[in-house]
């Protein structure tokens, strides 16, 4: 039987590329978008891809996703949705810091019921606090808050047999990263897949980079 993954925030960028690569590799892929009726390139991805409507700030969308998945085992959940600049602080905090934890916790039963039982929350190196002296603005605050919340929850998730990490995906050439970013979206997604494919119990609870290095908090 094929493995199943769920990619949160798959309309563009790293999320879309993860859907494309996992589907090409034969996975059953569940993917969320804020525009399920006009999915754009996400609707063109070849393979076993099921789309779900979700704004990650919406409790109703999350409840509908839980209902749609029912007891489907999810081997791998990746939360990629995120916002960067030119966005009100409360939206940045809701999308980047609160949603990944809320979504993961709402779907823990699905992950725990699978054979691989893995979760990746996409953070940023800008959320690392060690050695920082200045502010990195709302975005840095939001990813630091995500990292902090993740570290406190990881031990509880491990008790359910789940291995989870936060990942810095690189500075990636997407709408968010801009065209001068040094890492292509396909390289970043391939690195994330490699990292998650080799995820060990020792790595659980950690902060990792797309190219397989442990990151300081
Ligand atoms: N690119 C980089 O250099 C870089 C570096 C470090 C970390 N990251 C992190 O990597 C992740 C993916 O970034 P990216 O570069 O792929 O960004 P992107 O190309 O700007 O795509 C962002 C994705 O997040 C979705 N999204 C935004 N707000 C949402 C909401 N309220 N509900 C549901 N989905 C929402 C977008 O959906 P819509 O199309 O509906 O807006 C889109 O699919 C983010 O968490 C980001 O912080 C990126």
């Amino acid at each position: 039987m094929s493995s199943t993954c769920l990619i949160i925030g798959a309309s563009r960028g790293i999320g879309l590329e993860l859907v494309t690569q996992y589907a090409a590799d034969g996975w059953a892929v569940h993917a969320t978008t804020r525009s399920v009726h006009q999915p754009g390139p996400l609707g063109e991805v070849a393979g076993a891809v099921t789309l779900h409507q979700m704004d990650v700030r919406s409790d109703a969308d999350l409840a509908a996703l839980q209902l749609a998945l029912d007891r489907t085992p999810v081997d791998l959940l990746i939360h990629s949705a995120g916002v960067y600049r030119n966005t009100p602080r409360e939206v940045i905090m809701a999308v980047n810091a609160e949603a990944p934890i809320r979504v993961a916790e709402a779907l823990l039963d699905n992950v725990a019921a699978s054979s691989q039982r893995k979760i990746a929350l996409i953070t940023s190196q800008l959320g690392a606090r060690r050695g920082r002296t200045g502010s990195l603005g709302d975005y840095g605050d939001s990813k630091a808050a995500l990292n902090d919340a993740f570290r406190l929850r990881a031990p509880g998730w491990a008790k359910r047999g789940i291995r989870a990490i936060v990942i810095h995906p690189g500075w990636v050439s997407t709408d968010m990263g801009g065209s001068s970013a040094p890492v292509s979206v396909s390289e970043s997604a391939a690195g994330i897949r490699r990292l998650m494919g080799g995820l060990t119990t020792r790595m659980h609870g950690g902060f990792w980079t797309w190219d397989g290095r442990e990151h300081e908090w």
Side-chain angles (χ1 to χ4, degrees):
M1 216 173 73
S2 70
S3 302
T4 300
C5 65
L6 168 62
I7 313 295
I8 306 291
S11 63
R12 300 182 276 128
I14 297 165
L16 174 61
E17 183 64 20
L18 287 167
V19 171
T20 305
Q21 292 192 14
Y22 278 114
D25 202 24
W27 287 57
V29 182
H30 292 269
T32 77
T33 168
R34 286 196 283 184
S35 317
V36 82
H37 298 299
Q38 287 184 306
L42 179 61
E44 310 290 312
V45 177
V49 181
T50 307
L51 303 190
H52 303 270
Q53 173 72 30
M54 189 156 78
D55 185 316
V56 297
R57 294 167 295 172
S58 164
D59 289 335
D61 286 355
L62 183 54
L65 178 64
Q66 282 179 304
L67 207 59
L69 289 174
D70 191 19
R71 291 177 193 193
T72 306
V74 172
D75 290 285
L76 170 62
L77 185 164
I78 302 181
H79 190 289
S80 185
V83 285
Y84 186 35
R85 285 189 287 217
N86 307 319
T87 308
R89 179 177 172 86
E90 61 267 27
V91 175
I92 295 179
M93 296 305 288
V95 174
N96 292 358
E98 292 156 22
I101 300 293
R102 208 161 46 86
V103 170
E105 297 234 294
L107 299 168
L108 276 190
D109 286 349
N110 298 78
V111 178
S114 73
S115 46
Q116 297 192 36
R117 301 192 297 269
K118 296 175 183 175
I119 297 176
L121 308 179
I122 306 300
T123 184
S124 168
Q125 63 184 2
L126 300 182
R129 300 286 91 169
R130 183 170 293 184
R132 295 234 188 269
T133 50
S135 163
L136 289 171
D138 296 335
Y139 183 79
D141 289 353
S142 71
K143 295 295 192 178
L146 168 60
N147 291 355
D148 186 50
F150 168 72
R151 291 174 82 179
L152 294 175
R153 278 162 180 80
W157 295 0
K159 287 188 190 144
R160 310 275 320 265
I162 293 168
R163 285 166 291 167
I165 57 175
V166 289
I167 301 177
H168 168 61
W171 178 19
V172 187
S173 175
T174 60
D175 292 341
M176 186 183 294
S179 55
S180 50
V183 181
S184 73
V185 72
S186 61
E187 288 172 313
S188 174
I192 291 167
R193 289 177 55 227
R194 203 174 308 118
L195 191 63
M196 295 312 291
L199 193 70
T200 62
T201 306
R202 190 192 70 75
M203 292 165 72
H204 170 76
F207 183 0
W208 292 82
T209 65
W210 67 284
D211 52 356
R213 291 170 292 125
E214 193 158 13
H215 203 291
E216 290 191 317
W217 294 105

